[in-house]
Amino acid sequence: MAAEIHSRPQSSRPVLLSKVEGHQDVVSAALLIPKEDGVITASEDRTIRVWLKRDSGQYWPSIYHTMSSPCSAMAYHHDSRRIFVGQDNGAIMEFHISEDFNKMNFVKTYPAHQNRVSAITFCLTSEWVISTGHDKCISWMCTRSGTMLGRHYFTSWASCLQYDYETQHAFVGDYSGQITLLKLEQNTCSVITTLKGHEGSITSLWWDPVQRLLFSGASDHSIIMWDIGGRKGRTLLLQGHHDKVQAICYIQLTRQLVSCSADGGIAVWNMDISREEAPQWLESDSCQKCEQPFFWNIKQMWDTKTLGLRQHHCRKCGQAVCGKCSTKRSSYPIMGFEFQVRVCDSCFESIKDEDRTSLATFHEGKHNISHMSMDISRGLMVTCGSDRIVKIWDMTPVVGCSLATGFSSR
């Protein structure tokens, strides 16, 4: 039954359709099978499972395969029904799933990494399997021959990966908080640029090739949107989570960003508005409002016989201010601040009540989310966590309009 397209009230929330339970350890990845009532899961318990929805409404494993090492990452290509599973030992294993999703045949093993595989993507046109790992590298291997084509090393663990299939550009996030943009060639690669803006390790990336936007989530609880296509270096900061951002997905059709954090928070951000860039923090030896010296400004402290003050920053104007000149707190969603942050007293006076209207909706996943993926065409989301539970959600009440085509939530 196809759902009609219509707007939903803002008070709506995600609907939990099913819980899939049975793994003995953390579920590291889960993917919804396109056009099927099915889920593929990979877990630290060394199993990969394909779950199909039975007439009873329950999900039962139609495939249960035990690996030699804990499963850490997964990529699935639906048209060819090829699945690539990354493991804790650094190897990637390729399987082919039968048309009825009841059988899985081993294809080959790729010795991609020396340590835990953190992310995988498969490119059918070039027949490459591209991956990142805790051996601090990105590798790309030929799926026809199984041979290594190239490797590039970083200074810290490579944690996440996105790939532009058309231009062969790879985006790699790492534990130092840096994102590296690389151009991959058949046997070599070149570093195009590095993006620095997070204060914690990069935990998730999402590349939108249409608008040429890169979104990054990090352990500093924040998300940054990098306008790669705009070429002006524009970045937007989004702060609304209270724990590390574990997964993000941009819905190009509705201009919305869905993000999940480790504490179970699910956020839906409205990106279809003109947001303001957060200012660079200014440096000063004294308060830029009252001119009182900061504590390291010994000369001015001596000259004026005053005690030095701590330096703070107004999140709206970026000025260096003392505590007395920044006693107020305010949210400022147009700049990405969904909860209250420090602002100087003059900026506080300039913020109107309507400026505080939230530009995101926040929901409870009610489990520790470690991974999320969406089937955007049906408005479905799957989350999995350290509680070993996989949850399937109908997101159409919160993603602006119903995108569902042929899915029934019976």
Side-chain angles (χ1 to χ4, degrees):
M1 183 181 74
E4 72 275 18
I5 293 180
H6 60 283
S7 294
R8 306 296 183 106
Q10 286 299 298
S11 58
S12 302
R13 58 178 185 261
V15 177
L16 180 61
L17 299 175
S18 296
K19 274 190 197 178
V20 179
E21 298 178 80
H23 279 290
Q24 306 303 307
D25 207 334
V26 176
V27 183
S28 39
L31 299 165
L32 293 151
I33 303 169
K35 305 184 189 82
E36 297 280 339
D37 275 338
V39 190
I40 305 170
T41 58
S43 167
E44 299 283 347
D45 66 8
R46 299 193 298 122
T47 67
I48 175 160
R49 309 183 194 194
V50 177
W51 310 77
L52 296 179
K53 194 176 184 182
R54 306 300 182 196
D55 292 339
S56 63
Q58 295 290 105
Y59 282 81
W60 288 94
S62 60
I63 295 171
Y64 182 111
H65 182 85
T66 305
M67 311 282 276
S68 58
S69 175
C71 305
S72 55
M74 176 171 61
Y76 173 62
H77 187 264
H78 184 62
D79 292 343
S80 60
R81 293 192 310 282
R82 290 160 81 174
I83 187 162
F84 298 85
V85 184
Q87 297 175 94
D88 200 54
N89 63 9
I92 294 172
M93 293 183 84
E94 181 187 347
F95 299 91
H96 181 260
I97 298 179
S98 64
E99 215 170 326
D100 61 2
F101 295 97
N102 280 311
K103 197 164 179 247
M104 191 168 79
N105 293 316
F106 169 73
V107 179
K108 58 168 75 85
T109 301
Y110 301 90
H113 297 275
Q114 302 297 312
N115 207 328
R116 184 180 176 88
V117 179
S118 56
I120 309 169
T121 190
F122 168 62
C123 180
L124 184 67
T125 48
S126 58
E127 284 284 348
W128 289 359
V129 60
I130 308 154
S131 57
T132 53
H134 287 186
D135 56 356
K136 304 181 182 177
C137 88
I138 178 174
S139 78
W140 54 110
M141 299 187 69
C142 176
T143 50
R144 287 193 187 96
S145 62
T147 56
M148 179 70 69
L149 297 172
R151 262 202 187 111
H152 178 82
Y153 283 89
F154 306 96
T155 53
S156 58
W157 282 2
S159 50
C160 43
L161 167 71
Q162 285 285 284
Y163 185 65
D164 187 292
Y165 297 95
E166 205 176 308
T167 63
Q168 295 187 331
H169 284 113
F171 300 90
V172 180
D174 67 36
Y175 268 69
S176 76
Q178 190 168 285
I179 302 161
T180 307
L181 170 54
L182 302 143
K183 166 83 167 150
L184 303 187
E185 308 284 356
Q186 187 66 30
N187 293 107
T188 182
C189 74
S190 48
V191 174
I192 307 297
T193 190
T194 52
L195 308 173
K196 295 174 185 174
H198 284 289
E199 290 173 20
S201 56
I202 311 295
T203 46
S204 50
L205 289 173
W206 184 274
W207 169 244
D208 174 51
V210 180
Q211 285 181 267
R212 304 194 68 73
L213 300 173
L214 179 72
F215 296 89
S216 57
S219 62
D220 61 8
H221 308 180
S222 69
I223 298 163
I224 295 176
M225 186 202 88
W226 311 81
D227 188 355
I228 306 291
R231 300 195 181 282
K232 290 189 182 128
R234 194 170 73 109
T235 59
L236 296 177
L237 180 67
L238 303 173
Q239 288 190 337
H241 285 290
H242 297 280
D243 206 337
K244 64 179 175 181
V245 180
Q246 296 282 50
I248 45 184
C249 175
Y250 181 62
I251 304 170
Q252 212 272 322
L253 183 69
T254 59
R255 303 282 204 273
Q256 286 169 300
L257 180 74
V258 180
S259 58
C260 296
S261 54
D263 60 1
I266 299 168
V268 181
W269 306 82
N270 177 7
M271 302 306 292
D272 198 24
I273 42 153
S274 181
R275 288 179 176 269
E276 288 178 25
E277 210 170 338
Q280 291 288 323
W281 284 5
L282 302 173
E283 290 306 320
S284 177
D285 290 331
S286 54
C287 174
Q288 293 180 300
K289 295 294 180 185
C290 69
E291 298 182 351
Q292 283 272 89
F294 292 132
F295 66 83
W296 61 84
N297 189 350
I298 293 164
K299 185 182 183 306
Q300 193 185 337
M301 283 160 58
W302 181 263
D303 292 347
T304 56
K305 302 289 187 285
T306 53
L307 282 171
L309 305 171
R310 264 189 75 191
Q311 177 181 266
H312 301 284
H313 285 93
C314 171
R315 301 304 192 270
K316 185 174 183 292
C317 69
Q319 286 194 322
V321 289
C322 69
K324 280 185 183 171
C325 294
S326 57
T327 57
K328 305 285 202 300
R329 303 288 180 273
S330 176
S331 61
Y332 195 53
I334 199 81
M335 213 174 258
F337 301 116
E338 285 289 338
F339 44 68
Q340 299 211 329
V341 290
R342 181 185 294 272
V343 289
C344 67
D345 293 356
S346 53
C347 278
F348 183 83
E349 297 304 321
S350 73
I351 300 172
K352 304 182 188 78
D353 281 348
E354 56 264 34
D355 295 335
R356 295 188 177 96
T357 306
S358 181
L359 298 174
T361 59
F362 296 92
H363 314 278
E364 275 303 317
K366 293 186 178 162
H367 71 152
N368 293 68
I369 298 171
S370 58
H371 181 270
M372 169 273 279
S373 69
M374 286 191 75
D375 180 343
I376 293 169
S377 65
R378 292 187 288 175
L380 296 178
M381 178 175 79
V382 60
T383 58
C384 52
S386 50
D387 58 1
R388 308 171 188 183
I389 297 171
V390 175
K391 293 184 179 182
I392 301 164
W393 305 85
D394 176 10
M395 291 296 284
T396 56
V398 291
V399 291
C401 66
S402 170
L403 312 172
T405 50
F407 175 78
S408 65
S409 58
R410 57 179 185 274

